[in-house]
């Protein structure tokens, strides 16, 4: 299948939206009081119930659920998976590394992916998860600025 830049922008939007959605759901459902089936609801939203049961074989607990839905790069619904796909899509856009330097959205996506790959699930709190959501929004803003904002060149001085 031929994938042109239009398809890549759609893919980027989908991955950013999915990343923000799973982060927001995790922030609200895995933090604080996790009774009343909140973790089960999060696993359902992330379509990860079967993977959780196979991997952990215990009742849902906050740290393993958070690890699975945010940090597991092998889980297609996880935030880390979305961050990796965002980075890959950005690599295939024009202007990816002008002059050998990463463009702002590339830098942000790479930083997000590195952080998700090194953070401990037990250390995540609502503030940290919110920072991931904000980073995804920054990536979206940088993509819009780089590819969709039409600016006129500044007139010559003098």
């Amino acid at each position: 299948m031929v994938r042109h830049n239009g398809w890549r922008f759609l893919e980027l939007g989908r991955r950013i939206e999915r990343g923000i959605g799973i982060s927001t759901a995790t922030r609200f459902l895995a933090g604080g009081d996790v009774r009343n089936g909140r973790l089960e609801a999060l696993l359902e939203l992330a379509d990860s119930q079967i993977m959780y049961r196979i991997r952990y074989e215990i009742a849902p607990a906050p740290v393993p659920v958070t690890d699975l839905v945010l940090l597991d790069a092998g889980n297609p619904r996880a935030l880390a998976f979305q961050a990796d796909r965002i980075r890959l899509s950005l690599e295939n856009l024009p202007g990816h590394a002008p002059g050998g330097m990463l463009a702002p959205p590339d830098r942000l996506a790479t930083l997000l992916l590195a952080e998700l790959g090194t953070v401990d699930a037990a250390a995540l709190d609502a503030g940290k998860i919110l920072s991931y959501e904000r980073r995804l929004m920054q990536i979206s803003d940088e993509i819009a600025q780089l590819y969709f904002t039409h600016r006129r060149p500044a007139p010559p001085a003098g």
Side-chain angles (χ1 to χ4, degrees):
M1 171 186 231
V2 177
R3 295 182 175 172
H4 295 287
N5 292 332
W7 181 89
R8 288 185 185 97
F9 285 119
L10 289 172
E11 179 73 4
L12 281 165
R14 182 172 66 123
R15 298 297 180 178
I16 290 169
E17 186 176 0
R18 187 175 285 172
I20 291 170
I22 195 61
S23 297
T24 303
T26 303
R27 199 162 37 92
F28 286 108
L29 295 174
D33 182 18
V34 293
R35 292 178 289 169
N36 302 326
R38 292 173 71 179
L39 293 175
E40 290 86 353
L42 179 56
L43 288 170
E44 179 75 26
L45 281 171
D47 196 23
S48 301
Q49 316 89 317
I50 294 172
M51 187 180 291
Y52 183 86
R53 287 188 197 114
I54 290 170
R55 185 173 296 170
Y56 296 105
E57 297 180 6
I58 59 172
V63 172
V65 168
T66 300
D67 181 62
L68 182 63
V69 301
L70 288 183
L71 307 178
D72 186 352
N75 179 359
R77 301 290 184 184
L79 175 59
F81 187 90
Q82 306 314 314
D84 183 54
R85 291 307 187 266
I86 289 167
R87 188 183 52 77
L88 290 173
S89 292
L90 287 169
E91 284 179 3
N92 292 308
L93 287 176
H96 162 63
M101 296 180 64
L102 293 178
D106 293 294
R107 278 196 301 275
L108 289 170
T110 301
L111 284 170
L112 177 61
L113 189 59
E115 190 169 338
L116 291 169
T118 57
V119 72
D120 181 14
L124 289 176
D125 60 2
K128 191 64 175 167
I129 297 170
L130 182 60
S131 75
Y132 298 149
E133 293 173 47
R134 288 183 177 150
R135 181 96 39 90
L136 288 165
M137 290 179 212
Q138 284 179 313
I139 291 169
S140 176
D141 290 344
E142 290 293 339
I143 291 168
Q145 183 72 24
L146 187 62
Y147 294 100
F148 300 113
T149 301
H150 301 287
R151 294 177 279 186
R152 293 179 187 213

